[in-house]
Amino acid sequence: MSTQTSVPDSPAGPAPQQAAAGGSRLGAAAGAVRRWWFAPVPGSRIAWVRALVYLFVPYDILVITQDVKGTAALPGEFYQPTMLARWLHLPTPTPGIADTLQWVLLIAAPLAATGRFHRSLGFLVAGAFTWWQLINMGYGKVDHDHFALVIAVWVLPTAGRARFRDDTPSEAATWTLRCMQVAAISTYSLAAWAKIRESGWGWASGATLLWAIERRGTPFGKWFLDHPDLLRLSQWVVFFAELCSPAILFLRRWWLAAALVFWLGFHLMTWLLVGIHFLPTVICLTAFVPWEKFRAGLGGLARRSQAAVPAPGR
Amino acid sequence: MTSAPAPARSLSAFQRWWRGLAAALGIALIVHGSLLGNDDQFPFAPMSMFAFRTDPNGNIDAHYLEADTDAGTRIKVPMSRNGAGMGRAELEGQLLKIIADPALLQNIADTQRRLQPGLPHYTHVYVMRDRTVLRDGAKDHTVTEQLADWAVR
């Protein structure tokens, strides 16, 4: 597409001196992309996110996707394997396969949460969890709440050793966290695209939320059935927020915090209205959090309260 | 633990290279899945939950299973692993297949018998539909219909 084929494709090197003005602009852009993916962040963030994700996995398979055990007991005619499952020649699910995967995950994921053998245990969890999800999505319905989590379990084992109290900056940590962020934000932004693709720009003026509440609404949600205008307004807000969501990848500090609080509020509302919580995506939003600052804040608070004991009167 | 900041843990050119490639490939897959793909490409499938538009003057259909039991009762089959072994979404995903061949409902009864040996067994299984008719984006009335049934062998 571009005529500037002379620009070398070297992600790690500086922009070439001899490049023309356009070339150096391209080089600057490449540098910005490289910094975005690799500028080191405190490695302790990985320790936090790793613990949260791997402790979430048992909850996911025991509560959120527990139906896998039942569907695996159904006769094979009901199994409609998705492309990846066919490609990998995964066998038709049986109760034995589901039990084995569940036990592997129940043992390996909490161990991986400790950060020990992070690579081997991490990839074991990644493989078993992905298989579990392929069974979960293999009976006629595919959800998109698990996309970011499936990506997370594959990128976490590459982040290297990490400890809660070790803030040594790490480039591998940045890449892992960025992958999780992109996956979580894709879940939102591509949901807006899916609405446009499937329903055109008129999605927000329809009655989809009413449909969801009528079919599976909570008692709280059913109250909104008498307020269809409020439901339509909510659809516009959600659609707009999904369209704008990629901006979150470039926000900092309070703006970032505000955006995350908005999405947490969104998930809380859908849970209260129709019992859909998207926790597997929410858990990946933890990749945005500067966890080391919380520890510093807590430590500072503890030191101040200790200092306040011997010298109470300022 | 020292208080001096440690030097950053850097990646080699190769380690960056494969990570960059993997990220580009992942983004390409999910964007392709969303632009042109379908559910079959999970995990790189379109984010299409609730992407359909419900016509404010259309219908809202909810499908479920009912069953006569050998205890002489007619019950709503619990749509979970302990009832039908499948959820409502799975039922609706397979609906056309089941209506074309109601014998598939035999499996539901067999699964229930296996999962709940202590509870009354199904003797007849029905596929039911509640259709809520909308007017100007609000509920108007609801019609219940039977779409298929199967006498359990």
Side-chain angles (χ1 to χ4, degrees), chain A residues 97-133:
Chain A
I97 291 174
D99 282 341
T100 308
L101 288 174
Q102 193 172 50
W103 279 112
V104 165
L105 288 168
L106 286 180
I107 294 167
L111 280 177
T114 67
R116 273 166 232 270
F117 304 109
H118 60 269
R119 199 167 296 153
S120 43
L121 280 175
F123 282 124
L124 178 65
V125 169
F129 187 72
T130 305
W131 191 348
W132 180 269
Q133 290 305 332

Side-chain angles (χ1 to χ4, degrees), chain A residues 45 48-49 52-53 56 145 147-149 152 176-189 245 248-249 256-268 277-291 294:
Chain A
R45 290 186 192 180
W48 283 97
V49 172
L52 288 165
V53 165
F56 183 79
D145 59 342
F147 168 65
L149 190 55
T176 293
L177 296 172
R178 287 300 195 194
C179 286
M180 288 177 64
Q181 294 172 2
V182 168
I185 294 303
S186 306
T187 306
Y188 300 133
S189 56
S245 62
I248 298 174
L249 294 170
L256 175 60
L260 294 179
V261 166
F262 169 84
W263 282 106
L264 289 179
F266 164 76
H267 292 303
L268 181 66
H277 50 59
F278 261 64
L279 277 180
T281 306
V282 171
I283 202 78
C284 294
L285 293 179
T286 59
F288 281 103
V289 178
W291 292 100
F294 283 92

Side-chain angles (χ1 to χ4, degrees), chain A residues 66 73 77-78 83 86 139 141 144 147 158 169 171 175 193 197 199 202-203 205 207-208 214-215, chain B residues 9 11 16 19 34 37 40 43 47 50-54 61 81 88-90 92 94 97 114 132 139:
Chain A
Q66 58 157 342
E77 297 104 283
F78 285 93
M83 184 186 290
R86 296 194 304 271
Y139 289 84
K141 176 160 186 275
H144 66 254
F147 168 65
T158 70
E171 294 183 340
W175 183 80
W193 169 250
R197 179 181 168 193
S199 310
W203 177 85
S205 67
T208 304
E214 170 63 22
R215 278 169 48 101
Chain B
R9 276 197 281 270
L11 295 170
R16 281 190 189 184
R19 279 174 173 82
S34 277
D40 195 37
M47 306 295 180
F50 298 102
F52 59 86
R53 181 178 189 274
T54 301
D61 289 344
R81 69 185 239 212
R88 179 171 60 185
E90 279 77 24
E92 295 187 329
Q94 315 247 2
K97 216 163 135 182
R114 199 167 56 239
T132 303
K139 278 172 71 172

Side-chain angles (χ1 to χ4, degrees), chain A residues 21-206:
Chain A
S24 71
R25 253 205 305 282
L26 216 70
V33 170
R34 193 174 66 234
R35 276 194 302 281
W36 193 85
W37 283 98
F38 292 111
V41 296
S44 55
R45 290 186 192 180
I46 290 294
W48 283 97
V49 172
R50 182 177 275 162
L52 288 165
V53 165
Y54 288 143
L55 291 178
F56 183 79
V57 164
Y59 174 76
D60 191 319
I61 62 173
L62 289 176
V63 180
I64 301 176
T65 56
Q66 58 157 342
D67 277 358
V68 165
K69 297 253 286 193
T71 45
L74 281 173
E77 297 104 283
F78 285 93
Y79 182 50
Q80 301 173 356
T82 49
M83 184 186 290
L84 185 59
R86 296 194 304 271
W87 196 59
L88 293 172
H89 295 283
L90 294 181
T92 300
T94 63
I97 291 174
D99 282 341
T100 308
L101 288 174
Q102 193 172 50
W103 279 112
V104 165
L105 288 168
L106 286 180
I107 294 167
L111 280 177
T114 67
R116 273 166 232 270
F117 304 109
H118 60 269
R119 199 167 296 153
S120 43
L121 280 175
F123 282 124
L124 178 65
V125 169
F129 187 72
T130 305
W131 191 348
W132 180 269
Q133 290 305 332
L134 286 170
I135 299 175
N136 186 32
M137 310 297 178
Y139 289 84
K141 176 160 186 275
V142 173
D143 294 333
H144 66 254
D145 59 342
H146 277 85
F147 168 65
L149 190 55
V150 168
I151 297 300
V153 293
W154 283 102
V155 295
L156 275 172
T158 70
R161 201 190 301 273
R163 291 177 205 283
F164 288 99
R165 297 185 159 277
D166 181 3
D167 288 342
T168 308
S170 155
E171 294 183 340
T174 308
W175 183 80
T176 293
L177 296 172
R178 287 300 195 194
C179 286
M180 288 177 64
Q181 294 172 2
V182 168
I185 294 303
S186 306
T187 306
Y188 300 133
S189 56
L190 294 175
W193 169 250
K195 291 178 175 73
I196 297 168
R197 179 181 168 193
E198 204 168 317
S199 310
W201 290 89
W203 177 85
S205 67

